[in-house]
Amino acid sequence: MANTTLGVVGAGTMGNGIAQVCALAGLNIAMIDVNEAAVQRGLATISKSLDRLVSKEKISAADKAAALARISGGTDYEALRGRDLIIEAATENLELKLRILRQIDGLAGENTVVASNTSSISITQLAAVMSRPARFIGMHFFNPVPMMALVELIRGLQTSDETHAAALAFVQAIGKSPITAKNSPGFVVNRILCPMINEAIFALQDGLASAEDIDTGMRLGCNQPIGPLALADMIGLDTMLAVMQVFYEGFNDTKYRPAPLLKEMVAAGRLGRKSGQGFYSYA
């Protein structure tokens, strides 16, 4: 496992979280993003996250230094050539992911497993642009990656048993717990979670209760660790809207229509924590 070489495309929240977890597990990682500023932000986030683990005495300062030394950041896709596993962790946008996967395809070796961290987009559709679609799989980590134990493995129509087995072994080796789902909009967790959050937004839109009371009700009444509106702010309202649109188009069912308030919040640039304002203020 320690000899496995990994490429991660995307140095944002998900990409840098995946890189951190894998570096702590002993893997060497090439983390790629569109520009050097994005790469440096990703590396700085990892460093701060590791500092918190050191302060909590979960890892040593030497562990932190060793983990950071295993991560090389850059903008050149050539760093992905010949890697054992390449994980695409870009923004939840179909055309962007297809463009990235075409670039990865030219660099992946015959035995390379290529995975997408998509939370909702069809794995079968993404695999179709790969020259070896049998070696492609969905590998959906949850945010924040260092804290969340779950990884959903999603088999596209083309995914081979060998690829699934390799992905399963990888996820277990980095200390995460996998579940397997077939290809369908939102897979398992988001198929249940996102419509629930969308319904909470409808409840707020309809004036049933304040955002605080909706979240308190779900925390205390349903034993959720965080209320659905606060969770939406954490996920990003633009990501929430993208997922609901995938559901709406994928199932052709009005029960998945995005709440108009969600659309309006995104149009206003109120995207949640990352913009400083969502259903709550983070100024």
Side-chain angles (χ1 to χ4, degrees):
M1 177 64 199
N3 295 323
T4 299
T5 56
L6 175 68
V8 177
V9 181
T13 301
M14 299 305 294
N16 68 56
I18 293 167
Q20 175 185 320
V21 167
C22 294
L24 283 173
L27 277 68
N28 292 310
I29 300 123
M31 185 173 69
I32 306 298
D33 212 316
V34 67
N35 58 53
E36 191 60 32
V39 172
Q40 291 305 317
R41 280 195 302 272
L43 291 171
T45 299
I46 293 170
S47 183
K48 288 177 186 174
S49 179
L50 292 173
D51 281 338
R52 286 193 293 273
L53 293 177
V54 172
S55 69
K56 293 176 182 177
E57 299 184 343
K58 293 188 174 182
I59 64 170
S60 67
D63 292 332
K64 175 197 169 180
L68 287 175
R70 294 186 190 107
I71 305 170
S72 61
T75 59
D76 189 354
Y77 273 68
E78 273 297 320
L80 302 175
R81 188 177 293 279
R83 297 267 162 175
D84 300 314
L85 171 65
I86 302 172
I87 301 174
E88 171 276 308
T91 304
E92 197 71 351
N93 176 286
L94 175 61
E95 291 309 314
L96 174 63
K97 287 184 183 291
L98 292 175
R99 189 163 68 246
I100 288 170
L101 290 173
R102 289 187 183 101
Q103 286 182 267
I104 290 172
D105 191 52
L107 301 166
E110 189 175 332
N111 296 316
T112 299
V113 171
V114 180
S116 175
N117 182 58
T118 180
S119 57
S120 63
I121 296 171
S122 168
I123 299 303
T124 296
Q125 184 176 8
L126 294 176
V129 301
M130 308 298 290
S131 57
R132 287 180 286 272
R135 302 291 292 171
F136 188 82
I137 193 166
M139 192 178 287
H140 178 211
F141 290 79
F142 286 75
N143 186 24
V145 178
M147 292 175 60
M148 300 296 279
L150 182 67
V151 177
E152 274 184 316
L153 296 177
I154 305 98
R155 301 187 61 152
L157 191 64
Q158 312 94 319
T159 306
S160 70
D161 290 342
E162 181 186 14
T163 298
H164 176 254
L168 199 68
F170 166 78
V171 169
Q172 291 169 331
I174 62 170
K176 298 297 185 185
S177 299
I179 62 171
T180 299
K182 71 176 186 177
N183 189 59
S184 180
F187 319 130
V188 173
V189 175
N190 280 342
R191 169 80 174 267
I192 299 165
L193 174 67
C194 291
M196 184 271 289
I197 294 174
N198 193 51
E199 195 62 31
I201 299 170
F202 268 116
L204 179 66
Q205 173 186 301
D206 293 346
L208 298 184
S210 67
E212 292 83 356
D213 282 354
I214 290 168
D215 278 356
T216 298
M218 293 304 289
R219 283 191 299 105
L220 301 184
C222 298
N223 206 28
Q224 295 184 355
I226 183 172
L229 299 175
L231 181 56
D233 279 354
M234 184 183 295
I235 293 168
L237 302 192
D238 52 341
T239 301
M240 266 299 306
L241 178 57
V243 172
M244 291 310 300
Q245 286 171 330
V246 166
F247 285 5
Y248 190 31
E249 293 163 13
F251 292 114
N252 196 26
D253 188 334
T254 56
K255 77 178 182 181
Y256 294 111
R257 70 197 186 283
L261 177 58
L262 176 60
K263 292 182 177 179
E264 193 169 12
M265 295 281 281
V266 172
R270 296 185 177 184
L271 308 181
R273 287 180 180 268
K274 61 186 170 187
S275 71
Q277 179 70 50
F279 296 110
Y280 299 93
S281 176
Y282 304 93

